[in-house]
Amino acid sequence: MHTSDRITQSDFVYRRKRGTQSDVLSFSDAYPDYHTQDRVGLVSPRLEDGVFGLAAAVLGLATGFYDCLRSKESVFFDYPLHHVFIGGQGARVRTRNGDMNLSIGEMGSAWGWLDVWPETNWHLCPATPEGMLEAVFRHQVNRVFWPASFLPGTVEKPLSSYAYKLLSGRLKSVWYYDSKDGNLEVRASGSAAEVIRESLERLPRGGAERYHEVDTTSRPWIENRFKSVDPQAFLEDMSVCFTDG
């Protein structure tokens, strides 16, 4: 689905927490140095993880992308360079209800509804930090959303040292999502919240059972919170995923 004719930036509010205070941000404040050619990596070890934790942020970024295109021409057909990396192997996809045999369409339907499309932007990857990091590197991602608790332990197949050096130069920003000390909030309401609800309904069986995690029956918005992390600090968190040589 193309959300450019349904959603505008008025559907989003961006805030940065500073102690007990919070500041309202513009899109450009929330995503400094944004460019339409930015390659955004959405790391989702289980299929639903990123949908629940990132939907508002993904749609906000997509809308920023469309705003840039709208400012240059009245008619366009394009999608942002958003890539989702989902844990799994072969046809087996990791979900919060266990591993499932899913077709590409079943795996990516909810993500496609968030304008992560075409299906070549849905990637099945080993559900390990090093496996996801290798995919981020291989697809030349420069902005990353990463689960805060998804940190490496013992690594069987570390990436090369040159991958570390290249990522060090490429990464513009990293956000840990589902972070207890998140300092950036993206709130989606109106049409954006409606699209998110529709996306949830497109998850495989069992997805709607977790609907309460982003319930909007008692409030008219959906929000995601993140912790902004310096890219070099992120790579240090992932250092065990790389060889020393």
Side-chain angles (χ1 to χ4, degrees), residues 126-145:
T128 62
E130 63 271 25
M132 294 292 182
L133 198 58
E134 193 276 335
V136 165
F137 170 70
R138 177 161 34 91
H139 292 279
Q140 301 183 47
V141 164
N142 62 355
R143 293 185 185 269
V144 179
F145 287 89

Side-chain angles (χ1 to χ4, degrees), residues 158-188:
L159 284 70
S160 65
S161 58
Y162 70 76
Y164 180 99
K165 294 177 182 177
L166 287 171
L167 283 169
S168 182
R170 288 175 182 169
L171 290 178
K172 295 172 67 173
S173 52
V174 178
W175 296 276
Y176 282 156
Y177 70 92
D178 289 342
S179 174
K180 294 180 180 178
D181 56 346
N183 55 7
L184 178 66
E185 174 185 292
V186 181
R187 179 176 292 186

Side-chain angles (χ1 to χ4, degrees), residues 6-17:
R6 290 186 63 180
I7 300 175
T8 68
Q9 280 298 340
S10 64
D11 292 315
F12 301 94
V13 175
Y14 305 92
R15 294 181 184 272
R16 179 177 290 122
K17 294 177 62 178

Side-chain angles (χ1 to χ4, degrees), residues 21-82:
Q21 304 296 317
S22 65
D23 302 323
V24 176
L25 306 176
S26 66
F27 175 85
S28 58
D29 289 333
Y31 301 110
D33 194 27
Y34 177 78
H35 193 280
T36 55
Q37 293 301 305
D38 281 346
R39 301 175 68 87
V40 179
L42 313 165
V43 173
S44 188
R46 295 171 299 183
L47 175 59
E48 304 94 339
D49 291 346
V51 177
F52 290 141
L54 295 174
V58 171
L59 284 180
L61 273 169
T63 303
F65 172 85
Y66 296 135
D67 285 344
C68 291
L69 298 189
R70 277 189 281 257
S71 70
K72 297 176 181 178
E73 54 185 302
S74 58
V75 178
F76 61 84
F77 178 80
D78 204 354
Y79 284 84
L81 299 175
H82 293 176

Side-chain angles (χ1 to χ4, degrees), residues 57-226:
V58 171
L59 284 180
L61 273 169
T63 303
F65 172 85
Y66 296 135
D67 285 344
C68 291
L69 298 189
R70 277 189 281 257
S71 70
K72 297 176 181 178
E73 54 185 302
S74 58
V75 178
F76 61 84
F77 178 80
D78 204 354
Y79 284 84
L81 299 175
H82 293 176
H83 294 262
V84 59
F85 305 110
I86 300 166
Q89 186 173 9
R92 298 287 286 176
V93 179
R94 292 193 68 186
T95 80
R96 294 189 179 190
N97 292 301
D99 291 357
M100 294 184 180
N101 286 323
L102 300 176
S103 68
I104 293 295
E106 290 171 325
M107 180 183 78
S109 181
W111 287 101
W113 209 250
L114 300 174
D115 275 1
V116 181
W117 195 83
E119 64 183 36
T120 51
N121 289 22
W122 310 332
H123 310 284
L124 198 61
C125 310
T128 62
E130 63 271 25
M132 294 292 182
L133 198 58
E134 193 276 335
V136 165
F137 170 70
R138 177 161 34 91
H139 292 279
Q140 301 183 47
V141 164
N142 62 355
R143 293 185 185 269
V144 179
F145 287 89
W146 190 280
S149 61
F150 192 55
L151 300 175
T154 302
V155 176
E156 295 183 4
K157 296 181 179 180
L159 284 70
S160 65
S161 58
Y162 70 76
Y164 180 99
K165 294 177 182 177
L166 287 171
L167 283 169
S168 182
R170 288 175 182 169
L171 290 178
K172 295 172 67 173
S173 52
V174 178
W175 296 276
Y176 282 156
Y177 70 92
D178 289 342
S179 174
K180 294 180 180 178
D181 56 346
N183 55 7
L184 178 66
E185 174 185 292
V186 181
R187 179 176 292 186
S189 59
S191 295
E194 291 176 7
V195 169
I196 292 172
R197 287 193 292 268
E198 292 164 7
S199 172
L200 293 172
E201 293 301 325
R202 301 177 77 85
L203 287 168
R205 64 186 185 277
E209 296 170 8
R210 304 300 295 268
Y211 185 78
H212 65 275
E213 296 194 14
V214 286
D215 177 41
T216 59
T217 57
S218 60
R219 63 188 187 206
W221 68 79
I222 296 168
E223 66 183 31
N224 300 145
R225 292 182 180 176
F226 315 94

